[in-house]
Amino acid sequence: MPNHWSAKTPQPSPDLSTGLIGWLRTNLFSSPSNTLLTIVGVAILYVTIPSFISWALINATWFGDSRAVCDEAAANGQTGACWAFINVRMGVFTYGFYPEMERWRINVMVLILAFNLTPILASTIFKNNSRQALLGLLGIALTFFIVGPVGSILMGAYFFLPLAFSTLSKIDTIVAPIGADARAIGFRLLGALLIGGGVYFITHSLISREIAATVGILMSFLMLCLVLIRSLSTMGWRWIMLFSAFPVLCFYMLLGGVLGLPPVETHFWGGLFLTLVVAGTGMATALPIGILLALGRRSELPVIKVVCISFIELVRGVPLVSVLFMASVMFPLFLPENVTFNKLLRALIGIAFFYAAYMAEVIRGGLQGIPKGQYEAAKALGWPYWKMMTVVILPQTLRLVIPGLANNFLSLLKDTTLVAVIGLLDLLGIAKAAMADSEWLGFTKESYVFAAIVFWVLCFAISRYSVHLEKKYHTSYH
Amino acid sequence: MSKTVNNSEAKPDDNFIVMSNVNKWFGDFHVLKDINISVGKGEKLVICGPSGSGKSTLIRCINRLETHQKGDIFVDGIELTNDVKHIDQVRRDVGMLFQNFNLFPHMTVLENLTVSPMWIRKMPLKEARELAFHYLERVKIPQLANKYPSQCSGGQQQRVAIARCLCMSPKVMLFDEPTSALDPEMIKEVLDVMIDLANSGMTMICVTHEMGFARTVADRVVFMDEGEIVEENDPESFFNNPQYDRTVFFLSQIISH
Ligand SMILES: Nc1ncnc2c1ncn2[C@@H]1O[C@H](COP(=O)(O)OP(=O)(O)OP(=O)(O)O)[C@@H](O)[C@H]1O
Ligand SMILES: [Mg+2]
């Protein structure tokens, strides 16, 4: 008869950590050279940190409306930073030369963007629509207090439209079942176009001629999405709106010239606002273009492949500054005399394509990390190329390349400062311009430190968010 | 080249899949040499042979994961050519299982099952879920619906893959060594599901080294070597009375293993 066997009971692993002393010993003083490094490091910190803190915080002058306050403080031996200088200029640092009376328009758009990005970025928290609705009400209230009734109406309309659309798209008679039936699809297309046309005529005759065409087209587009895409979630609609309705709204609100809004040319734009415009559009356009370039580079069609490879290699071979110069100086030479092309727009296009080339390479790296089996399984199940790419392959790829993309986003954000070379004044440009103010000579440090802090906060936020995304997707399937 | 075969000629019920004189090369390497096989509706074909003999390549030609350079392949009367429409039509009828499962790792088990019917067949979410649970019950793992593939054992993953395939209601299923990446203890659970499928009347082509499975399920066994079909027979005769010394040698290798 065989002997009985039973597994040993598991033992707890021995505890090797020994509190603070143990941590210090293993991490800071593990060898003579490490001890030396630790001592030198502490010494450097001891010399720099306290003096910076006393300059920036303890001995600083915070309030006041002229340099007299700071000069007085300096005379009294309080030789710290003069933050009053920044305070006085806060408006210019934030909005550039955008007319003071019109700044509410920027505020509305920033609020709308913030409140609509929140559910997208924190999608796990705002999964259900009632929480989103709550957030929307908060947004409307906040906008009402900060900006006023017009702003809060815009906020409400923009925020709740995706909720309405996602509810509509679940009604079977509107979308499902689409069926392969060409006539059914034809009717839906026709319906969408008719609604767009109706909106066009109503806008044209009742509200404003200038915006009618755009609003009509936008409406048709949204209707097409509604009738052709099956049960799209609220998040899906927020993405669609972000790339269609939001730019249109921004265009009219920020540039003005319609609906009684005074026009504000782009050469009045500047400061943090301009930085966000350039970085935001850069990020939103470079990533999709980058994805297309990466797919094109791996395409089996030789023409597409060659075009994508040459574009990527060309762009990667030149510095961004020269791309911007090209965009502002060379590009107009190729256009007919009377065609003028906005300088900001040219910079935006330059940056978008420049970073698209870099992102394309990051994404291509990710695509190479997807096992061949994934493509084969999808093909065997009958997935056609584009659907397979968007639903099966790219979601996996993008998760793989989060660190690389975050890197590109960060350097894009910081490279917006290069628009200075073509005469656009972003946050750093405004900070530099402020130093030249004859009334406030000598406050260079404050300007630079302020700009640095703002950039650091933005970059740190992006970096933390990318870490959050990495963790989120890591725990979900590895 | 005619696009669809005349019914009287192909008799789709008897000859659901027809390969005639199929040849394929990888560069200069001749992988498939004059392959002639026909598989009837409901038939179970087992393909075996040594490593590198071209078994995978052969069945991958049937759903055009590989292209053949000479000869004709018909599936349900549709000829496989470069015509994308034909390929789509064939892939609609043919399901495939892989050695390493190839589930979509970023989706839960349930999403793996519902995503294809919803995106390819335009099935509403509710219906797709019902279908998914139906097949998860059938492969006996409904409790895993909300797990990710990486949280499932190999045997469970392969059963999910079978359910995913069934959700697209294929008429034929191709198996490329579905159990060879599995631990012995898990092989049985997958084979049980496959036997259950076979009993339900599914047309199946299996590349496998599980000779017990071949004996119980197969209608015919095909032995391949060096890109050729060496021997083709019913399992009884194939195992008890092989005609070629190459087959005898192969069988002795497998059994001693
Ligand atoms: N994409 C490819 N390019 C070049 N040669 C290939 C390719 N795929 C397979 N081969 C070769 O073709 C031959 C047949 O491969 P196949 O995968 O069909 O063999 P198999 O019978 O399935 O073997 P196994 O039992 O190891 O899976 C092998 O010699 C292999 O090296
Ligand atoms: Mg193989």
Side-chain angles (χ1 to χ4, degrees):
Chain A
M1 191 194 145
N3 294 327
H4 176 70
W5 177 87
S6 63
K8 281 182 187 136
T9 47
Q11 305 285 322
S13 81
D15 188 4
L16 294 175
S17 64
T18 49
L20 181 63
I21 305 285
W23 184 87
L24 286 176
R25 188 169 294 153
T26 50
N27 289 295
L28 298 178
F29 301 104
S30 57
S31 69
S33 58
N34 261 359
T35 311
L36 186 69
L37 278 178
T38 304
I39 290 170
V40 171
V42 168
I44 291 174
L45 290 181
Y46 180 77
V47 174
T48 53
I49 297 276
S51 62
F52 179 77
I53 288 181
S54 95
W55 176 81
L57 301 175
I58 298 169
N59 285 325
T61 313
W62 294 87
F63 303 104
D65 46 16
S66 73
R67 73 172 295 154
V69 194
C70 292
D71 289 341
E72 200 176 311
N76 294 341
Q78 206 183 340
T79 52
C82 177
W83 296 125
F85 168 60
I86 304 292
N87 255 336
V88 169
R89 276 180 167 55
M90 205 49 151
V92 181
F93 277 155
T94 328
Y95 301 100
F97 306 107
Y98 213 88
E100 223 155 303
M101 287 301 294
E102 305 302 324
R103 286 178 184 170
W104 66 272
R105 283 151 55 177
I106 298 178
N107 292 344
V108 175
M109 292 322 294
V110 169
L111 281 168
I112 289 182
L113 183 64
F115 272 90
N116 280 280
L117 273 183
T118 309
I120 291 179
L121 296 183
S123 55
T124 33
I125 301 175
F126 292 99
K127 210 155 209 148
N128 67 23
N129 284 353
S130 51
R131 282 196 193 169
Q132 287 192 34
L134 223 59
L135 182 73
L137 293 178
L138 181 70
I140 293 175
L142 200 66
T143 318
F144 187 84
F145 284 119
I146 295 179
V147 186
V150 180
S152 67
I153 290 171
L154 270 180
M155 168 69 101
Y158 187 94
F159 192 94
F160 284 98
L161 214 53
L163 288 165
F165 275 140
S166 81
T167 316
L168 274 180
S169 75
K170 290 199 179 76
I171 300 173
D172 276 4
T173 44
I174 299 183
V175 256
I178 291 175
D181 181 1
R183 237 181 52 195
I185 293 181
F187 274 127
R188 296 209 166 89
L189 289 177
L190 199 66
L193 294 180
L194 280 179
I195 292 179
V199 169
Y200 169 79
F201 279 112
I202 293 172
T203 318
H204 188 87
S205 50
L206 297 181
I207 304 173
S208 152
R209 273 176 194 211
E210 286 113 328
I211 68 167
T214 324
V215 172
I217 292 171
L218 180 65
M219 201 62 199
S220 293
F221 172 76
L222 290 177
M223 285 296 133
L224 281 181
C225 294
L226 182 62
V227 297
L228 291 183
I229 308 177
R230 124 191 331 273
S231 38
L232 198 56
S233 68
T234 319
M235 292 306 170
W237 279 107
R238 288 204 187 286
W239 278 109
I240 291 181
M241 298 264 296
L242 191 65
F243 280 88
S244 58
F246 188 73
V248 171
L249 196 58
C250 272
F251 182 80
Y252 287 129
M253 281 294 283
L254 299 179
L255 277 173
V258 290
L259 298 171
L261 296 171
V264 183
E265 298 289 336
T266 50
H267 53 255
F268 291 110
W269 297 19
L272 180 61
F273 164 57
L274 185 71
T275 300
L276 291 181
V277 167
V278 176
T281 43
M283 290 173 191
T285 48
L287 184 58
I289 301 173
I291 290 174
L292 291 180
L293 283 173
L295 294 181
R297 187 162 186 171
R298 287 166 58 94
S299 165
E300 279 162 15
L301 305 171
V303 178
I304 294 182
K305 189 172 175 163
V306 166
V307 168
C308 291
I309 292 180
S310 350
F311 179 82
I312 291 172
E313 295 305 334
L314 182 75
V315 169
R316 288 205 303 173
V318 290
L320 179 55
V321 175
S322 64
V323 171
L324 289 174
F325 262 126
M326 288 269 287
S328 78
V329 184
M330 304 276 288
F331 188 59
L333 298 180
F334 301 120
L335 289 176
E337 284 269 319
N338 49 358
V339 177
T340 54
F341 217 128
N342 185 291
K343 187 155 73 174
L344 175 62
L345 185 60
R346 278 181 267 149
L348 289 179
I349 294 173
I351 288 181
F353 279 99
F354 185 84
Y355 270 95
Y358 278 88
M359 290 188 191
E361 286 301 283
V362 172
I363 290 162
R364 192 169 67 94
L367 283 170
Q368 278 166 348
I370 305 293
K372 227 173 86 204
Q374 291 291 311
Y375 294 87
E376 288 175 351
K379 280 187 197 162
L381 285 163
W383 288 76
Y385 180 82
W386 282 108
K387 280 189 188 173
M388 168 175 84
M389 279 304 177
T390 44
V391 180
V392 178
I393 305 296
L394 281 174
Q396 296 183 51
T397 311
L398 293 179
R399 281 161 208 208
L400 276 180
V401 298
I402 291 171
L405 285 182
N407 235 346
N408 275 325
F409 275 39
L410 288 176
S411 61
L412 191 159
L413 177 67
K414 288 180 287 186
D415 278 355
T416 56
T417 51
L418 292 179
V419 296
V421 301
I422 57 170
L424 295 170
L425 291 180
D426 75 313
L427 178 61
L428 193 66
I430 289 270
K432 269 185 172 166
M435 293 168 207
D437 185 343
S438 54
E439 246 184 75
W440 289 86
L441 284 177
F443 294 107
T444 343
K445 270 187 269 175
E446 284 81 352
S447 259
Y448 278 133
V449 168
F450 174 73
I453 288 173
V454 173
F455 272 107
W456 183 82
V457 167
L458 292 175
C459 289
F460 190 64
I462 293 179
S463 155
R464 292 317 300 172
Y465 187 67
S466 90
V467 171
H468 159 79
L469 280 185
E470 258 176 79
K471 278 204 187 119
K472 179 173 156 188
Y473 292 125
H474 201 70
T475 50
S476 76
Y477 70 89
H478 281 293
Chain B
M1 246 190 268
S2 69
K3 282 187 179 163
T4 47
V5 175
N6 197 327
N7 270 356
S8 62
E9 198 183 307
K11 280 185 281 174
D13 269 345
D14 298 5
N15 295 321
F16 192 71
I17 294 173
V18 182
M19 303 178 92
S20 45
N21 292 318
V22 172
N23 280 275
K24 174 168 179 62
W25 290 262
F26 282 122
D28 286 339
F29 178 55
H30 201 168
V31 218
L32 297 180
K33 302 171 186 159
D34 285 327
I35 302 289
N36 286 293
I37 295 185
S38 61
V39 183
K41 204 157 218 169
E43 198 179 352
K44 284 95 189 133
L45 184 74
V46 164
I47 302 175
C48 57
S51 180
S53 57
K55 309 176 299 285
S56 302
T57 312
L58 173 67
I59 64 166
R60 287 155 60 87
C61 281
I62 297 173
N63 63 353
R64 199 71 171 182
L65 288 182
E66 302 286 359
T67 52
H68 59 286
Q69 281 108 18
K70 249 175 85 180
D72 306 318
I73 303 177
F74 289 93
V75 178
D76 205 5
I78 303 160
E79 183 176 4
L80 276 171
T81 57
N82 281 329
D83 189 335
V84 181
K85 261 198 187 138
H86 286 200
I87 297 175
D88 271 354
Q89 235 170 327
V90 165
R91 284 181 180 162
R92 183 176 284 258
D93 290 344
V94 180
M96 184 161 190
L97 274 299
F98 300 86
Q99 188 174 348
N100 9 326
F101 332 127
N102 293 339
L103 294 174
F104 304 140
H106 59 304
M107 300 178 189
T108 61
V109 166
L110 186 61
E111 285 164 352
N112 261 285
L113 266 60
T114 54
V115 72
S116 305
M118 284 171 65
W119 280 81
I120 311 295
R121 297 286 155 83
K122 319 258 181 221
M123 191 183 281
L125 175 67
K126 215 172 125 237
E127 214 174 298
R129 275 174 184 247
E130 277 164 18
L131 190 71
F133 273 108
H134 171 78
Y135 285 117
L136 277 180
E137 302 273 357
R138 183 147 167 208
V139 298
K140 305 193 180 63
I141 38 174
Q143 75 280 6
L144 296 182
N146 293 315
K147 290 251 186 331
Y148 282 88
S150 58
Q151 298 166 317
C152 303
S153 74
Q156 291 168 338
Q157 288 190 48
Q158 193 60 290
R159 285 188 281 163
V160 172
I162 293 175
R164 176 175 75 171
C165 199
L166 289 173
C167 281
M168 296 299 273
S169 46
K171 294 182 185 159
V172 197
M173 286 173 80
L174 312 175
F175 295 82
D176 191 357
E177 308 200 30
T179 54
S180 60
L182 298 178
D183 292 341
E185 285 177 59
M186 297 173 193
I187 290 180
K188 190 177 170 297
E189 61 189 43
V190 172
L191 288 182
D192 283 347
V193 171
M194 287 169 64
I195 291 170
D196 174 52
L197 257 180
N199 291 338
S200 74
M202 176 66 74
T203 314
M204 293 162 69
I205 302 181
C206 310
V207 174
T208 180
H209 293 141
E210 294 297 327
M211 290 305 145
F213 173 80
R215 268 176 205 274
T216 47
V217 168
D219 295 317
R220 247 187 317 151
V221 181
V222 166
F223 173 67
M224 280 183 77
D225 192 18
E226 311 247 341
E228 278 177 77
I229 293 181
V230 177
E231 187 162 351
E232 181 179 351
N233 221 328
D234 60 280
E236 192 63 24
S237 328
F238 181 83
F239 290 111
N240 298 337
N241 187 18
Q243 302 293 310
Y244 290 87
D245 53 347
R246 184 67 190 88
T247 321
V248 175
F249 179 70
F250 175 74
L251 287 175
S252 72
Q253 291 279 304
I254 285 209
I255 285 155
S256 69
H257 171 66

